[in-house]
Amino acid sequence: MSISSRFAVGIHILALIKLNKEGVTSSEFLASSVNTNPAVIRKLMGMLKKAGLIEVHPGIAGAKLAKELSEITLFDVYKAVNVVQEKELFSIHDNPNPDCPIGRNIQNTIEPLFSAAQFAMEKVLRSLTLEDVVKDIAIKENILL
């Protein structure tokens, strides 16, 4: 099982909003790039708006970034689209057998390891910005920013 694709799609939406300088970034346009249903895009755009990452106006097609690229970290996107709850990236199985030495100890042994791994991943996401993503795409596609 992997974490929700909402994170990758959220980054996709934000990058496309920035790079689509000549057109209207409607949910239909974004959905065609993501290759999904516009309703999925609208739901994610609502989450991104609530987090203060984009500006959208009811009845008006299109969206724009609410902050500079360099001010939006990948951690901001990760949190905005509710990929996981706090300290719950990794699930620990419930009710292991208490009569087994492994079952008795597995949860309190691996929980701090999982927390450390999640903390490390989130630290990396805090150090990367949407600007890093957009610049890489622009280089690959020879797009002037």
Side-chain angles (χ1 to χ4, degrees):
M1 246 188 306
S2 64
I3 63 174
S4 169
S5 65
R6 288 191 308 264
F7 180 42
V9 174
I11 295 169
H12 187 137
I13 289 168
L14 295 170
L16 187 53
I17 288 171
K18 177 60 181 178
L19 291 174
N20 184 37
K21 296 176 184 175
E22 297 178 21
V24 175
T25 49
S26 65
S27 56
E28 290 76 16
F29 174 77
L30 293 163
S32 71
S33 179
V34 175
N35 203 21
T36 191
N37 188 300
V40 172
I41 298 300
R42 284 189 288 275
K43 179 178 179 181
L44 285 172
M45 287 176 71
M47 296 169 123
L48 295 169
K49 179 184 178 190
K50 184 177 179 184
L53 302 180
I54 63 170
E55 294 177 6
V56 293
H57 303 284
I60 302 172
K64 67 179 189 172
L65 298 180
K67 299 179 178 184
E68 295 296 319
L69 288 176
S70 61
E71 297 174 341
I72 301 173
T73 68
L74 296 189
F75 183 75
D76 295 332
V77 182
Y78 171 82
K79 294 302 273 186
V81 298
N82 298 319
V83 173
V84 295
Q85 298 300 315
E86 192 73 27
K87 296 184 180 180
E88 292 184 10
L89 179 62
F90 302 101
S91 296
I92 299 175
H93 57 293
D94 293 329
N95 303 317
N97 184 347
D99 295 330
C100 170
I102 304 302
R104 228 182 351 264
N105 294 287
I106 194 68
Q107 291 174 319
N108 61 13
T109 299
I110 64 174
E111 189 278 327
L113 304 174
F114 287 179
S115 291
Q118 182 170 349
F119 177 80
M121 181 199 73
E122 290 177 355
K123 183 178 178 182
V124 170
L125 295 178
R126 283 183 177 93
S127 73
L128 299 168
T129 66
L130 190 58
E131 183 176 42
D132 299 319
V133 173
V134 170
K135 279 184 176 181
D136 189 60
I137 293 168
I139 289 168
K140 289 175 180 169
E141 292 294 320
N142 295 315
I143 299 170
L144 294 175
L145 293 177

